[in-house]
Every structure is written in C-alpha cells, then in structure tokens.
Amino acid sequence: RTDLPAAAAGQPDKKATAKYWAEALQSAFRKLGDFSDKVFESCMTEALAKEQSEAVTAAFDTMRQKSRRGMQQGLQKVSKSMLEFLDKVEATCTHLKHSVGLQKLRTAADRLSVLAAAKNLLNPGGQVDYDPMKSLKVGGVDVHLELNRFIGAWISDYKAKEFGEGLADFFDDFKEQEEVEDRSPSGTAAASAAAAAGGTAPGEGLLRMVRDALTSAMAGRDEKLDLAPHCFPADTTAAFSADVNAAIDHMLHKRKRTMQQGLKELAGATDRLLHAQKTECIWSSGAKLIWKGAKKLRKVTSRMVVDYGTHIQYEAMKSLVVGGVAIHAELNNFLAAWRLRSQEESGESFGELMRKLSTISGY
C-alpha cells in the first residue's frame, strides 16, 4: 500500500525556524554529494523559514486529497516553493552560488515543476500516474516510496537531518540524465572517449539536437544529411536555446494568449537560427521543411487576437490545433524531451513537430 501518511494535528514550531531549515538543507546537500557544509542559519530569515514551512505543509495537504489532480497540484506546489526558497537562500548567502548540492536540488525541482505542469498542458495526467493506495509514477519513474518517506519525515516530527535526507532522495529522482556520465573520474577523458567512440562531447549537445531535428524532418526521403563543420556555430545555437526556453515558459502558463505568444516565439527562434546559417548548411530537405513549418507557425500566431479562435484552438489539458492541424501530441513530446530529459535529446521530437506544422495550408 502506498497511500500518503495521515497528517498530524498541528505543526511543530521547530520546523518553522531557520535552524531547522539550515540543518535540513545541509543534510540534503550532503546526501547529494556536497560536503562543503556552508548552509548557515544566517542564510535565511525566520520569516522565510516559516513561509517555506507553510508552503511544504500546504503542498502535502493538497497531495493527500487522494486524486490525480490533487497529486499534480501538490507536486507543482512543492517544486515551486523549493525553487523560490533556494533562490532566496542563495541571494542571502552568495557563496552558495557554486554549491553542487544547491545546483542539483534546484535542477531537480525545476524538472519536477515542468513535469507536473508540462503534461497537464495538453495531456492530462500524462506524466503523473497516481492510483490512491497503490502507486505513484512521475515521468515513468516510480517515486511512491521516496515521496512517502519525504512526507512521513515532515509530518512525523523527524529531525531536520532525516527530513533533509528524505527531501534529497525524493528530488534526486528528477536529476539530470547526464549526471551519471559526469561522475566519471576524468571529465576530459570521458569527453575524449565519447568523441573517439562517435559520441557527443560536452558543448556539442545543441548541434546534435539540430542534426537530429533535420534528420527527423526529412524522414522517408532518400537523402543523407551532410553538415560542414562551420554549420550551426555555438553562438547561434546558444541564442536559439535561450529563445526556446523563453517560449516554453510562456506556453506553460496554460492560457490561450500565452500559448499563442509561446508558439510565436518558438517560430521566431527557429527562423532566426536557420536565417543565421550559410546556404550550404540549410540546403537539406529537413532544413527546408523545418523552416517552412516555422514560417507557417509564425503567420498563424501573428493573427489579431480577435481572430485567435479561428486560427488557433487551444483547450488547456485537452487539445491544441494550429491552422487546422492538431499538434498537441508533437508539442507534448518536444516539451517533455527539451525540459525533462535534455535539449540534446529533443531534436527528433522537434523535427516531427515542425514537419507537422509545415503541412498547414492556407497561410
């Protein structure tokens, strides 16, 4: 049985103190491999500690509604509150900017936040599979035991150290996929080995994403992608990455207006990336289809707001149709790959999305 523990009556004052949260973070960081021990009570005010304590309690109470919607909302709350808390702690203790523990916890919380929201955007419950009293899977990963320990440590009045360990264990389920490779004895040697084996060395992730996108878009054609070394230089792909992140942030607000804005920004980012390349870099049919899809998307999303319902039909958690073409599944796949796995792994789904958009007619 994996039902969430019942809440205890009232909340111990000690969990609303800077001392408790400093110890909890210290314990969490150590669990995540950061033994610098530089989290102090002075890194947060008593008011901030109380605010975080109340936010965690509210998140757990929402999860205990024993419904998928309640679980999703609770996961969003606990990840959002953790991100805001870490930002404020780091703002006070700037030496934590380079803390491995803080960086790992923040990245994991950010991934959980996106996971709990992104699939709600177009596919209700797609990433959160919750069967009360039985199981909980998030992004295909079984996390019911970790979440139970996390909540149990909180409501059962465990020491800060034990709660911190439970916090780290839970959020660690949402760590970056690349971390396993990063733990090798020599990062440089690993990169060289990867390159020698035909793999992707650090810094080449976005180039691989572009290659996969171009290949995916030209699927079914008797054509081989051949990109020269000077194609898609780092400055153009870095700008593309920043623009796409901004676009996705707008989409995740799950409102018609912000969805339109996000899609428009995604189209613009793609257009600028391809426009910045030399002719021989965008000569493939894949590049042409992606550019065509971006231009179609840009035209549709540039329509007046009063005409919005005519050109874009969006119902949060259910469907998305752009220019008469349903793209909810393709967009979902891209969002999940870009934010939940890695940008490097999102090329294929991006190519499929843009190829689908290229079929829009009448624009």
Side-chain angles (χ1 to χ4, degrees):
R1 297 173 72 86
T2 57
D3 188 26
L4 301 180
Q11 179 175 306
D13 291 338
K14 71 175 185 179
K15 292 190 296 189
T17 64
K19 182 177 186 297
Y20 181 91
W21 277 99
E23 291 178 1
L25 279 185
Q26 193 85 280
S27 175
F29 288 4
R30 291 180 69 86
K31 187 74 173 180
L32 294 171
D34 183 348
F35 298 93
S36 58
D37 294 337
K38 293 184 178 180
V39 183
F40 312 117
E41 288 183 48
S42 58
C43 293
M44 65 200 77
T45 63
E46 293 297 332
L48 176 59
K50 181 180 179 181
E51 177 185 301
Q52 177 63 4
S53 176
E54 293 173 346
V56 170
T57 297
F60 289 164
D61 285 346
T62 301
M63 293 181 194
R64 293 181 62 253
Q65 294 175 5
K66 298 181 182 179
S67 67
R68 181 185 297 183
R69 182 175 179 79
M71 179 57 69
Q72 289 176 318
Q73 291 178 341
L75 290 171
Q76 290 180 39
K77 287 181 179 180
V78 77
S79 57
K80 180 181 178 182
S81 68
M82 183 54 62
L83 287 169
E84 293 176 350
F85 180 59
L86 292 176
D87 286 345
K88 292 175 181 177
V89 168
E90 183 185 328
T92 301
C93 286
T94 55
H95 62 270
L96 291 175
K97 181 177 181 180
H98 303 294
S99 165
V100 174
L102 188 143
Q103 292 173 2
K104 286 185 176 181
L105 189 53
R106 174 183 282 142
T107 298
D110 183 56
R111 283 176 175 268
L112 173 58
S113 177
V114 174
L115 184 152
K119 282 299 183 179
N120 283 347
L121 183 67
L122 302 167
N123 184 12
Q127 282 286 0
V128 178
D129 183 5
Y130 176 50
D131 189 352
M133 309 288 289
K134 292 184 179 180
S135 65
L136 171 63
K137 290 185 178 181
V138 183
V141 179
D142 191 335
V143 299
H144 69 278
L145 291 178
E146 291 85 351
L147 181 59
N148 269 357
R149 285 199 296 268
F150 182 26
I151 298 176
W154 180 256
I155 67 177
S156 298
D157 199 20
Y158 286 3
K159 294 180 179 179
K161 178 179 181 297
E162 295 169 312
F163 171 70
E165 291 175 349
L167 183 154
D169 283 340
F170 172 68
F171 278 104
D172 196 45
D173 283 335
F174 307 99
K175 65 187 175 184
E176 289 192 58
Q177 299 300 312
E178 295 88 342
E179 286 185 15
V180 175
E181 287 78 9
D182 289 345
R183 292 185 185 130
S184 58
S186 171
T188 302
S192 300
T200 303
E204 296 182 357
L206 283 171
L207 178 57
R208 174 185 162 182
M209 179 270 177
V210 171
R211 285 180 176 276
D212 288 349
L214 297 177
T215 302
S216 175
M218 65 187 194
R221 297 172 180 266
D222 185 16
E223 180 181 359
K224 182 179 180 180
L225 181 65
D226 184 18
L227 288 180
H230 65 265
C231 292
F232 296 96
D235 59 331
T236 63
T237 55
F240 173 72
S241 175
D243 290 343
V244 171
N245 277 323
I248 292 176
D249 286 342
H250 277 116
M251 295 181 201
L252 295 183
H253 285 300
K254 297 184 288 184
R255 299 186 181 93
K256 290 183 178 180
R257 190 70 183 86
T258 55
M259 173 56 74
Q260 179 186 17
Q261 181 65 24
L263 289 172
K264 183 177 180 180
E265 291 175 354
L266 178 63
T270 306
D271 181 65
R272 288 189 293 275
L273 173 67
L274 296 175
H275 186 75
Q277 310 307 315
K278 294 183 179 297
T279 302
E280 61 269 24
C281 299
I282 52 174
W283 193 252
S284 68
S285 62
K288 292 176 181 177
L289 276 176
I290 289 176
W291 207 344
K292 179 181 179 181
K295 290 178 178 178
K296 293 273 188 179
L297 181 60
R298 198 168 196 174
K299 287 183 179 179
V300 176
T301 54
S302 295
R303 298 284 177 166
M304 296 294 290
V305 176
V306 293
D307 297 326
Y308 181 86
T310 303
H311 308 285
I312 302 175
Q313 294 86 45
Y314 171 55
E315 187 172 357
M317 299 173 60
K318 291 187 178 181
S319 64
L320 175 61
V321 179
V322 178
V325 176
I327 63 167
H328 66 281
E330 289 78 9
L331 180 60
N332 250 10
N333 291 338
F334 171 58
L335 292 178
W338 182 275
R339 281 287 177 91
L340 305 182
R341 296 197 295 275
S342 70
Q343 295 179 9
E344 179 181 341
E345 297 178 58
S346 65
E348 182 178 356
S349 56
F350 180 73
E352 292 173 353
L353 171 63
M354 301 311 292
R355 183 174 60 184
K356 187 77 173 284
L357 287 166
S358 73
T359 65
I360 294 175
S361 61
Y363 293 89

